[in-house]
Amino acid sequence: MTQDEASQLAELFRLLGEPNRLRLVAECLNGPRSVGELTEAVGVSQSLASQHLRLLRAGRLLQQTRSGRNIFYALPDCHVRSMLTDMMDHVLEPEEPIEEE
C-alpha cells in the first residue's frame, strides 16, 4: 500500500469515526433513504445531517439521487456494504477471553 492509498483509506475511516455519520451510512444498508428518514432515524437536525451527508458523498461512502423534490442517499457499491456489515458483525460477536502465555 502506498502512502497516498494509506492516506485515502485513513480519511474514509476518519469519516466513519464520527458516530452520527456512521449511523447515517448504516441506515442506508437496507436501501436508499430520504434525508427526512435519515434525520429521524439518527435523531439529528436536517442541517447537521446535510453537513454529514455532504462529507460522506465527497468520500464516496454514499451516493445521492433526486426524485422530484426528494433527495435519497444509498450505498454506492458492495465494498462499503461488506466492510460495514463485517465490522458490525465483529462488534456484535461475543468477546472471547484472551489467553495468557
Side-chain angles (χ1 to χ4, degrees):
M1 175 182 297
T2 67
Q3 180 65 34
D4 186 52
E5 291 167 338
S7 294
Q8 288 179 31
L9 187 57
E11 176 62 15
L12 292 178
F13 283 117
R14 184 191 68 77
L15 285 171
L16 291 172
E18 201 285 324
N20 288 322
R21 285 194 292 261
L22 181 59
R23 292 180 65 208
L24 287 167
V25 174
E27 283 297 321
C28 295
L29 282 172
N30 294 321
R33 297 286 183 260
S34 70
V35 175
E37 291 172 322
L38 291 170
T39 57
E40 185 176 322
V42 177
V44 296
S45 69
Q46 185 170 349
S47 63
L48 182 58
S50 292
Q51 291 173 15
H52 287 314
L53 292 166
R54 180 182 52 79
L55 293 171
L56 293 167
R57 261 192 13 248
R60 297 182 355 201
L61 292 166
L62 289 179
Q63 65 183 14
Q64 172 186 306
T65 57
R66 183 179 294 274
S67 177
R69 297 186 67 183
N70 294 317
I71 297 175
F72 292 87
Y73 289 87
L75 296 172
D77 57 41
C78 63
H79 300 109
V80 175
R81 178 182 307 283
S82 296
M83 182 270 309
L84 190 55
T85 56
D86 285 348
M87 294 308 290
M88 289 169 66
D89 289 344
H90 175 73
V91 167
L92 297 174
E93 70 186 5
E95 189 173 323
E96 295 184 21
I98 299 173
E99 295 181 22
E100 295 187 29
E101 294 181 23

